[in-house]
């Protein structure tokens, strides 16, 4: 099979010239007990992939990249009885083991065993299976390695969906939808008549906008430096948009109770991955408001905040990984909203290209020219 493999992180842009990802021929692995073999049919390019390629998220190399995808089950390993060849599936980048402390508390997105396997490039049920033609170990990316014709993944990394869901739509539900929608509905728990501001209008931020638009009476403000992304946010359900320098004025103009209460949003979602933006969000919160950090800042970035404001005004800083999602529960819920016309995720699909164009796609994403570029892998 053909697979996009990263051998060296930190190559300079433009990536079309430095070619960090090479298409290599790997043996198609067989699924072990508790695993399934998936024929990958659509794979999306995400900023989390870029963070591995530029070296800001250190992962063991060489690694077969990609973590957001849809496809069809080709084979099942021993003990897998509830998934069958021919099933259409969405792949999930954190496999919940069901037995660790996080999973038992109902938070499989924070699975300890899944996180450990993802960190080492292995799978939930055993060591890495991918091998080059010469026998070299190729690490798995987040238990998925989606930029490949096939992927062996843990049973816990797939959610079966109805066969009529378009593959281009389905692919975006494994990361962007879980992360962005979950940040608002699960982590932030936005409720009726509250206000939200979303910083960063990539696929995750725009999914957060769509989620906020589901809440009756919600005021939704969307912030991004690019005018075309602000226009897209309006189509996704935002009522007000602006550049980063407009954020404070928009909050003053469109929040508050109108009876002398101070302005401020109930919820801020930081989907940029910037410590500076995180710091800028805190002053925009109302008393008791929450800031949800969903982006991935470089690990060397730090924030400096006034400590008193947390106890003094009751505001909260919340981390959100994979939107605090329960994939088996949330993907069907979100697909139901899509079927009802309430989640226009098709707006985020910029185009679909052959896998051979993956390096140029990295440039397009880094430069903000695409929201979700999908690749045909089979």
């Amino acid at each position: 099979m053909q697979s996009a493999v990263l051998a060296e992180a930190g190559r300079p842009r433009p990536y079309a010239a430095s070619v960090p990802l090479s298409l290599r021929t790997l043996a198609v692995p067989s699924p072990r007990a508790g695993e399934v073999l998936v024929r990958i049919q659509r794979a999306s390019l995400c900023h989390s992939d870029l963070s591995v390629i530029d070296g800001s998220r250190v992962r063991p190399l060489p690694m077969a990249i990609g973590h957001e995808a849809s496809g069809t089950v080709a084979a099942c390993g021993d003990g897998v009885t509830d998934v069958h060849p021919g099933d259409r599936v969405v792949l999930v980048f954190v496999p919940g083991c069901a037995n660790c402390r996080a999973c038992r508390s109902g938070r499989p997105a924070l699975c300890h065993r899944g996180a450990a396997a993802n960190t080492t490039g292995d799978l939930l049920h055993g060591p890495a299976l991918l091998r080059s033609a010469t026998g070299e170990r190729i690490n798995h990316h987040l238990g998925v390695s989606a930029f490949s014709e096939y992927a062996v993944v843990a049973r816990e990394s797939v959610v079966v969906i109805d066969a009529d869901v378009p593959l281009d739509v389905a692919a975006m539900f494994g990361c962007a939808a879980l992360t962005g929608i979950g940040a608002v509905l699960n982590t932030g728990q936005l409720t009726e008549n509250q206000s939200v501001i979303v910083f960063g209008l990539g696929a995750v931020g725009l999914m957060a906008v769509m989620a906020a638009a589901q809440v009756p009476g919600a005021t939704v403000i969307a912030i991004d430096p690019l005018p075309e992304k602000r226009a897209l946010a309006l189509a996704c359900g935002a009522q007000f948009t602006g550049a980063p320098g407009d954020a404070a004025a928009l909050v003053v103009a469109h929040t508050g109770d109108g009876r002398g209460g101070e302005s401020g949003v109930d919820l801020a979602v930081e989907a940029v991955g910037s410590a500076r933006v995180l710091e800028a969000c805190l002053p925009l919160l109302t008393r008791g408001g929450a800031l949800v950090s969903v982006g991935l800042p470089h690990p060397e970035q730090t924030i400096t905040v006034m400590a008193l404001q947390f106890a003094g005004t009751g505001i909260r800083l919340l981390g959100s990984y994979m939107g605090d999602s329960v994939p088996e529960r949330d993907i069907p819920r979100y697909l139901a909203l899509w079927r009802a016309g309430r989640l226009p995720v098709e707006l985020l699909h910029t185009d679909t290209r052959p896998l051979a164009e993956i390096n140029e796609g990295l440039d397009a994403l880094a430069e903000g020219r695409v929201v979700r570029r999908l690749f045909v892998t089979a």
Side-chain angles (χ1 to χ4, degrees), residues 221-248:
I221 303 169
I223 302 295
D224 197 278
L226 297 178
E228 57 269 29
K229 290 192 174 180
R230 298 198 295 267
L232 193 53
L234 291 171
C236 290
Q239 294 139 327
F240 310 103
T241 67
D246 303 322

Side-chain angles (χ1 to χ4, degrees), residues 36-39 71-76 83-89 158 160:
V36 297
L37 175 67
V38 178
R39 181 167 67 94
T72 302
V73 174
C76 297
V83 176
H84 309 281
D87 284 346
R88 183 170 287 190
V89 293
V158 301
V160 177

